[in-house]
């Protein structure tokens, strides 16, 4: 009898199959022909494919359904998937492997970019995957294998589809480039945090790289993961030899690399593009010679965004959670909520990011608004323009669930408490969607007035969370700050609770620090002193205003003193130009004394200069003045130039850099009152895009932010074009873009299109699955001098080579740029391309180069 795969993976070596598409090409699959159609037209070849891998020793083999979804097969999806599973069953029976081989329902990416970057909604993506899952589970697949995911958000959609529509084990492998980044910016650490939170049974990486290039990524995955790690590399990197795609790692070399990878701690091993049954056979022989060691990962508390992780407790640096996205006590924020001013809310987040927040609390609860709708909208908008993890802060379970569903990462969740009804409502959501939950030390009897009572509730929260399958490391206890103005013992009780959470419970803690001083004058004096005391007692996270100077000064000083600021880098960056209050006052008085205003002016200047230290310092410019340094308040040496309210071109450039479409349009209208439209384009719009593009190339800006910046620039361009109506508008050149025949994955092509258009190029978008003849005929008819070609799959790159051959023959003055997940510079050179577009900005730079030379 066949064991459940979960009883084996992570406890012994489990081997997967290899490359389906490359094998089918050898069997006669034609360029552009959809591999999944062979389930109906060439069933014996599909059975033989499976048999070869089973006979090589694979335990897990994939159904031929990588691209099977309603976008490709709107008419016969059920027939395609059903036949795939049935053919796999037949192969397993013929191989005599009924007891130890497992059929994996293979889910590949949709080929579309999810909103707001693309046109496919998250919920539609879930349903597209769900259709395939329901059919595959019905037909008897043993597990779901989601593979080749290059967008963490789409990966989440696929996992939810699997979890919600079957009870099969769920494995997933993602695609990382040589720098360890997914297409949309995810890292091994950030995607692992999210996927483990969603409850996947195993995770890892496949495709894009060969085994040698994957080794650094595997090291990071093994360190981050608490579930078994799967590694399915390509057989090296693709090359073109005599018109055929071949790979540069033979079976013996592949086996050697995979033995190394197994030694790093991966327990599921197989192959992807270019790996043959012989690759798998040699891999199995090499790896099984090693003793299997059950992984013993370290437990740690981690939250994530799409691209960043933040570790909490366990010796990690204390975490600052920005508190400003919250209507409590904030008239302007409340008004923004009522007026649905999302840009104002997002700007609060951006300011806190600049000021040094590591996480942002997001609370939009107000009687005047629909919290479920608005919280969801704000979460989606925030995660599209900044990379900080978010804390979803609501007491509304419906709002919490919707926000968690659409959050791209593993969120911090605020909150639950010791009341049974609250725990019963919230813990199922934490279990389903993942996250680190804040547990408030109160229950049906209220807030205990002593540390013993609060620790008792903390234990109850831990125990109840565990009954839902939520580990202790995913619970953070809030010891609760009550103002000392009403209870003079409150601070002492809270500090003792925080210390005991660390020392007795071995847990992590969180506080809303500013509550301690409510009702008192000079609150920041109390707050900053209490904050330092709480940190010394083991506080893991603090919800504070990062724009407040004394709080940030206390935090940075504590980190420096406790050796949690390597080489004092953060402290020095923030305070290298720091001036004491006495020195600032003396300088102000000296400056005033030398002016026409004399001593009276000096006194006025002194009052103005010191006023910033007595308030909250809520604006970046106020902080900089108070500290005598543009970077002192925000922890960033360029905080002054990042201020959106700076007016004129800096305001426009900043709006574009931040991906703020409406403010970009408004700033453009203001600029047009004083400046020429072409000057705005040349001096503001294009330079702003260049700044973002350079950040993307350096890895400091990620794809979502790049596309949102492009969207903001588009809005600004629209305003400029309207102002230039009736005048000649320069087009820098015309460019054709197309995804080659047989390939419906047009994510890369669409990204390049957006950027090229924002740089002033006229793009002729021929779409996806485009015949070579169509591309060539269009280039001739429109006299286009640059063609961009995209392909994702190894089965379609041959059509790229054919397109290039025809262009060289019939339009020799045309330059050609190529890109896609399977492309390498060497492959690009071999098939005769002029430019290898390793990312979207590379193609833009190449177009600029041709334009400057007059070749477009």
């Amino acid at each position: 009898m066949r064991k459940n795969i979960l009883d084996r993976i992570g406890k012994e070596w489990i081997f997967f199959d290899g490359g389906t598409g490359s094998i089918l090409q050898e069997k006669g699959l034609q360029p552009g022909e959809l591999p999944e159609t062979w389930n109906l037209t060439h069933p014996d070849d599909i059975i033989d494919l499976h048999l070869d891998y089973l006979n090589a020793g694979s335990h897990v083999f994939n159904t031929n359904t990588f691209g099977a979804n309603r976008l490709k097969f709107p008419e016969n999806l059920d027939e395609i998937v059903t036949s795939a599973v049935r053919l796999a069953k037949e192969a397993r029976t013929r191989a005599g492997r009924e007891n130890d081989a497992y059929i994996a329902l293979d889910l590949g990416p949709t080929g579309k970019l999810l909103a707001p970057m693309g046109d496919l909604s998250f919920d539609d993506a879930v349903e597209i995957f769900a259709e395939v899952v329901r059919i595959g589970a019905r037909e008897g697949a043993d597990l779901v294998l989601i593979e080749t995911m290059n967008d963490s958000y789409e990966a989440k959609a696929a996992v939810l589809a699997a979890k919600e529509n079957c009870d099969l084990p769920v494995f997933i492998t993602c695609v990382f480039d040589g720098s360890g980044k997914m297409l949309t910016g995810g890292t091994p650490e950030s995607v692992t945090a999210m996927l483990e939170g969603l409850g996947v049974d195993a995770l890892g990486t496949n495709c894009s790289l060969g085994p040698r290039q994957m080794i650094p990524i595997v090291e990071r995955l093994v360190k981050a993961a608490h579930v078994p790690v799967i590694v399915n590399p390509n057989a090296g990197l693709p090359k073109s030899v005599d018109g055929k795609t071949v790979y540069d790692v033979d079976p013996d070399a592949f086996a050697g690399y995979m033995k190394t990878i197994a030694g790093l701690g991966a327990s599921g091993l197989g192959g992807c593009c270019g790996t043959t049954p012989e690759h798998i056979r040699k891999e199995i022989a090499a790896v099984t010679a090693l003793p299997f060691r059950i992984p013993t990962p370290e437990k740690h508390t981690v939250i994530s965004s799409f691209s960043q992780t933040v570790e909490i407790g366990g010796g990690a640096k204390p975490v600052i959670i920005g508190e400003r996205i919250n209507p409590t006590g904030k008239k302007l924020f409340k008004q923004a909520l009522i007026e649905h001013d999302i840009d104002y809310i997002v700007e609060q987040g951006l300011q806190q990011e600049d000021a040094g927040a590591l996480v942002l609390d997001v609370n939009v609860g107000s009687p005047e608004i629909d919290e479920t709708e608005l919280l969801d909208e704000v979460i989606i908008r925030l995660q599209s323009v900044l990379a900080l993890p978010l804390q979803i802060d609501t007491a509304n379970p419906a709002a919490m669930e919707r926000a968690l569903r659409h959050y791209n990462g593993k969120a911090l969740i605020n909150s639950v408490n010791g009341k049974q009804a609250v725990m019963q409502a919230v813990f199922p959501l934490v279990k389903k969607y993942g996250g680190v939950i804040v547990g408030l030390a109160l229950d049906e009897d209220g807030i205990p007035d002593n540390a013993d009572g609060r620790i008792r509730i903390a234990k109850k929260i831990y125990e109840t969370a565990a009954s839902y399958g939520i580990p202790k490391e995913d619970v953070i206890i809030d010891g609760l700050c009550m103002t000392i103005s009403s209870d003079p013992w409150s601070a002492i009780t809270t500090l003792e609770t925080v210390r005991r959470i660390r020392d007795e419970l071995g847990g992590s803690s969180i506080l809303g620090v500013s509550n301690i001083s409510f009702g008192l004058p000079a609150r920041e004096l109390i707050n900053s002193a209490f904050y330092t005391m709480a940190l010394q007692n083991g506080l893991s996270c603090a919800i504070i205003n990062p724009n407040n100077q004394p709080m940030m000064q206390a935090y940075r000083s504590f980190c420096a003193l406790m050796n949690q600021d390597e080489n004092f880098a953060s402290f020095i960056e923030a305070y290298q130009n720091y001036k004491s209050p006495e020195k600032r006052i003396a300088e102000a008085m000296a400056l005033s004394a030398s002016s026409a205003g004399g001593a009276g002016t000096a006194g006025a200047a002194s009052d103005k200069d010191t006023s910033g230290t007595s308030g909250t310092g809520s604006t970046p410019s106020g902080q900089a003045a108070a500290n005598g340094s543009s970077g002192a308040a925000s922890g960033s040496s360029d905080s002054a130039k990042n201020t959106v309210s700076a007016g004129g071109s800096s305001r426009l450039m900043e709006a574009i850099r931040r991906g703020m479409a409406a403010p970009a349009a408004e700033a453009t209208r203001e600029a047009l009152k004083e400046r020429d439209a072409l000057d705005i384009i040349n001096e503001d719009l294009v330079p702003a895009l260049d700044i973002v593009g350079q950040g993307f190339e350096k890895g400091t800006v990620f794809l979502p932010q790049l596309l949102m910046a492009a969207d903001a620039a588009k809005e600004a361009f629209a305003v400029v074009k309207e102002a230039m109506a009736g005048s000649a508008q320069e087009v820098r050149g015309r460019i054709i873009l197309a995804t080659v025949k047989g390939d419906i994955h047009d994510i890369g092509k669409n990204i390049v299109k957006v950027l090229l258009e924002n740089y002033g190029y006229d793009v002729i978008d021929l779409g996806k699955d485009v015949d070579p003849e169509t591309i060539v005929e269009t280039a001739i008819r429109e006299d286009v001098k640059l063609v961009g070609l995209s392909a994702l799959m190894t089965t379609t790159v041959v059509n790229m080579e054919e397109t290039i051959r025809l262009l060289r023959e019939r339009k020799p003055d045309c330059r050609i740029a190529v890109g896609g997940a399977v492309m390498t510079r060497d492959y690009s050179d071999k098939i005769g391309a002029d430019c290898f577009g390793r990312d979207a900005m590379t193609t833009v730079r190449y177009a600029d180069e041709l334009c400057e030379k007059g070749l477009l």
Side-chain angles (χ1 to χ4, degrees):
M1 182 177 177
R2 188 167 56 249
K3 285 185 178 180
N4 189 304
I5 186 66
L6 297 184
D7 294 330
R8 300 183 63 184
I9 193 161
K11 303 173 181 66
E12 60 180 281
W13 301 120
I14 294 294
F15 297 100
F16 291 70
D17 64 7
T20 296
S22 48
I23 296 295
L24 291 183
Q25 281 181 315
E26 293 181 4
K27 290 180 176 292
L29 181 74
Q30 294 301 302
E33 188 177 5
L34 299 178
E36 297 79 14
T37 61
W38 275 39
N39 296 335
L40 306 179
T41 60
H42 297 73
D44 290 338
D45 286 313
I46 300 301
I47 290 174
D48 288 344
L49 169 89
H50 294 324
L51 279 170
D52 287 343
Y53 283 117
L54 288 169
N55 291 332
S58 297
H59 297 108
V60 179
F61 64 112
N62 297 348
T63 58
N64 184 31
T65 53
F66 175 82
N69 58 60
R70 71 183 185 207
L71 301 176
K72 269 189 180 181
F73 300 100
E75 304 293 336
N76 62 341
L77 178 63
D78 194 298
E79 185 182 17
I80 290 286
V81 178
T82 296
S83 61
V85 178
R86 291 178 180 176
L87 293 172
K89 285 183 173 181
E90 175 65 21
R92 181 169 62 187
T93 299
R94 292 190 192 180
R97 297 283 304 279
E98 288 283 4
N99 291 332
D100 73 336
Y102 302 86
I103 298 170
L105 179 68
D106 191 356
L107 298 184
T110 61
K112 286 186 169 291
L113 204 59
L114 271 59
M117 295 181 290
D119 58 2
L120 180 63
S121 77
F122 180 86
D123 293 325
D124 284 345
V126 172
E127 182 51 33
I128 286 171
F129 289 120
E131 288 178 324
V132 182
V133 170
R134 287 192 290 266
I135 300 167
R138 181 195 72 201
E139 294 301 319
D142 300 304
L143 68 139
V144 176
L145 176 62
I146 302 160
E147 64 159 314
T148 322
M149 286 289 156
N150 50 31
D151 175 5
S152 62
Y153 208 29
E154 186 176 26
K156 179 173 182 175
V159 171
L160 283 177
K163 289 284 187 177
E164 292 174 346
N165 290 276
C166 75
D167 58 2
L168 300 175
V170 178
F171 297 174
I172 182 168
T173 54
C174 298
V175 175
F176 300 95
D177 64 20
S179 66
K181 295 285 198 315
M182 298 175 75
L183 173 68
T184 50
T187 66
E189 295 79 12
S190 66
V191 75
T192 295
M194 182 193 74
L195 294 173
E196 288 193 343
L198 290 169
V200 301
D201 298 294
L203 59 81
T205 182
N206 78 296
C207 204
S208 186
L209 301 174
R212 179 176 63 82
Q213 293 83 5
M214 272 191 184
I215 288 173
I217 295 166
V218 175
E219 290 174 328
R220 293 169 64 180
L221 284 170
V222 169
K223 184 177 180 180
H226 299 83
V227 297
V229 171
I230 302 167
V231 182
N232 294 331
N234 289 347
L237 302 177
K239 296 181 178 181
S240 178
V241 177
D242 298 328
K244 292 182 64 177
T245 301
V246 299
Y247 291 81
D248 62 4
V249 177
D250 65 29
D252 288 317
F254 186 84
Y257 287 123
M258 295 307 290
K259 186 174 181 180
T260 299
I261 286 172
L264 295 174
S267 55
L269 304 124
C272 199
C273 301
T275 53
T276 66
E278 187 62 15
H279 283 81
I280 302 303
R281 184 177 290 107
K282 291 288 182 71
E283 170 189 73
I284 292 171
V287 171
T288 52
L290 297 174
F292 184 85
R293 294 183 178 89
I294 295 177
T296 55
E298 294 183 10
K299 294 182 179 181
H300 47 268
T301 302
V302 177
I303 59 174
S304 69
S305 67
F306 71 91
S307 65
Q308 292 186 9
T309 58
V310 171
E311 186 170 355
I312 298 171
K317 188 175 181 179
V319 175
I320 294 174
I321 303 172
E323 69 180 5
R324 302 299 296 170
I325 304 179
N326 189 316
T328 304
K330 304 180 185 72
K331 288 184 178 180
L332 289 177
F333 194 93
K334 283 185 177 179
Q335 192 62 30
L337 292 180
I338 294 169
E339 296 176 357
H340 199 256
D341 187 354
I342 305 297
D343 286 324
Y344 177 86
I345 298 170
V346 172
E347 181 57 34
Q348 295 297 306
L350 293 169
Q351 287 182 9
Q352 292 179 96
E353 180 182 40
D354 282 344
L358 301 175
V359 181
L360 297 181
D361 182 77
V362 183
N363 184 319
V364 298
S366 181
E368 300 89 349
I369 57 99
D370 182 338
E371 185 181 6
T372 300
E373 289 286 339
L374 189 58
L375 181 61
D376 184 47
E377 184 176 359
V378 170
I379 290 290
I380 291 172
R381 182 68 183 280
L382 282 168
Q383 69 186 12
S384 70
V385 298
L386 49 76
L388 296 184
L390 303 179
Q391 174 171 266
I392 297 172
D393 186 356
T394 178
N396 182 334
M400 183 182 290
E401 174 160 24
R402 189 160 166 185
L404 283 171
R405 187 174 186 83
H406 293 153
Y407 180 66
N408 189 2
K410 182 182 180 183
L412 188 57
I413 306 167
N414 194 10
S415 58
V416 76
N417 57 48
K419 296 179 180 180
Q420 288 297 330
V422 175
M423 291 190 286
Q424 289 169 7
V426 173
F427 281 145
L429 301 180
V430 180
K431 177 61 177 174
K432 178 176 180 178
Y433 295 106
V436 172
I437 183 70
V438 173
L440 308 181
L442 63 90
D443 61 11
E444 289 85 354
D445 296 325
I447 302 173
D449 60 4
N450 56 70
D452 286 340
R454 298 182 191 185
I455 293 298
R456 173 185 54 80
I457 295 173
K459 291 178 179 178
K460 179 169 67 171
I461 292 172
Y462 283 142
E463 291 168 1
T464 308
S467 72
Y468 284 89
I470 300 167
K472 182 179 178 180
E473 58 266 26
D474 280 347
V475 180
I476 301 178
I477 301 299
D478 188 336
L480 298 177
C481 278
M482 309 302 293
T483 177
I484 56 173
S485 64
S486 62
D487 178 6
W489 291 93
S490 175
I492 296 171
T493 299
T494 299
L495 291 171
E496 183 184 353
T497 302
V498 168
R499 179 189 60 76
R500 291 176 64 181
I501 291 168
R502 178 193 63 188
D503 296 344
E504 294 180 18
L505 304 184
S508 298
S509 58
I510 185 172
L511 291 174
V513 174
S514 61
N515 294 338
I516 204 72
S517 64
F518 188 79
L520 295 174
R523 293 182 63 190
E524 63 187 13
L525 300 181
I526 293 288
N527 291 346
S528 58
F530 176 73
Y531 184 28
T532 301
M533 296 168 74
L535 289 171
Q536 184 62 32
N537 277 269
L539 183 66
S540 309
C541 307
I543 305 173
I544 67 171
N545 176 8
N547 295 317
N548 183 280
Q549 299 166 60
M551 297 298 280
M552 295 304 292
Q553 288 166 349
Y555 172 77
R556 294 191 181 105
S557 298
F558 176 85
C559 291
L561 289 165
M562 298 303 293
N563 194 27
Q564 291 184 314
D565 182 2
E566 188 173 357
N567 298 321
F568 310 105
S570 296
F571 188 88
I572 292 170
E573 181 183 15
Y575 303 122
Q576 58 188 324
N577 298 316
Y578 176 80
K579 297 176 182 178
S580 68
E582 294 83 359
K583 186 171 184 180
R584 283 186 279 110
I585 292 171
E587 288 180 352
M589 293 180 67
L591 179 64
S592 298
S594 65
S595 68
T601 306
S606 175
D607 290 341
K608 181 176 181 181
D609 194 45
T610 58
S611 65
T613 63
S614 62
T616 62
S618 60
T619 63
S621 56
Q623 298 154 22
N627 279 326
S629 166
S630 66
S634 69
S636 170
S637 60
D638 63 355
S639 64
K641 70 182 179 183
N642 286 342
T643 305
V644 174
S645 60
S649 62
S650 63
R651 182 178 170 218
L652 172 55
M653 292 180 71
E654 179 65 8
I656 292 172
R657 189 177 77 83
R658 292 298 204 182
M660 305 283 281
E666 180 58 31
T668 304
R669 293 188 188 95
E670 290 298 314
L672 282 167
K673 294 177 181 178
E674 301 178 358
R675 301 171 57 211
D676 181 72
L678 286 176
D679 288 342
I680 292 171
I681 291 175
N682 294 327
E683 297 172 11
D684 298 79
L685 295 181
V686 173
L689 281 172
D690 279 338
I691 291 171
V692 178
Q694 289 162 11
F696 179 71
E697 291 168 331
K698 293 175 182 177
T700 58
V701 171
F702 304 108
L703 183 61
Q705 297 155 307
L706 178 70
L707 293 182
M708 295 304 290
D711 189 54
K714 183 178 179 180
E715 292 295 317
F717 272 114
V719 173
V720 171
K721 289 178 181 179
E722 183 180 348
M724 294 174 65
S727 63
Q729 299 181 27
E730 178 185 2
V731 174
R732 303 184 72 193
R734 303 186 77 194
I735 300 169
I736 289 174
L737 293 181
T739 299
V740 298
K741 183 174 176 59
D743 205 318
I744 66 163
H745 299 82
D746 58 356
I747 292 176
K749 183 262 296 176
N750 290 342
I751 294 167
V752 173
K753 176 185 177 182
V754 169
L755 295 177
L756 285 170
E757 287 178 338
N758 276 293
Y759 273 82
Y761 294 100
D762 181 14
V763 176
I764 302 173
D765 184 0
L766 296 180
K768 56 196 176 187
D769 190 19
V770 185
D771 189 89
E773 284 287 343
T774 301
I775 298 170
V776 174
E777 289 170 3
T778 305
I780 294 171
R781 182 177 66 252
E782 303 294 336
D783 193 24
V784 172
K785 302 295 176 62
L786 176 59
V787 171
L789 303 175
S790 175
L792 176 71
M793 302 183 296
T794 56
T795 54
T796 61
V797 291
V798 288
N799 292 323
M800 186 179 283
E801 185 173 7
E802 174 62 12
T803 303
I804 293 173
R805 186 188 67 78
L806 288 176
L807 282 168
R808 295 288 185 235
E809 181 181 302
R810 297 169 56 186
K811 190 77 169 60
D813 63 340
C814 186
R815 305 296 177 95
I816 302 155
V818 298
V822 296
M823 294 301 299
T824 64
R825 183 175 302 280
D826 182 66
Y827 196 105
S828 169
D829 293 341
K830 287 288 180 61
I831 63 177
D834 299 293
C835 170
F836 165 55
R838 63 180 179 84
D839 55 42
M841 285 306 302
T842 304
T843 306
V844 174
R845 302 295 186 219
Y846 182 63
D848 286 346
E849 179 186 328
L850 295 179
C851 187
E852 290 170 5
K853 294 178 179 179
L855 299 177
L856 286 185

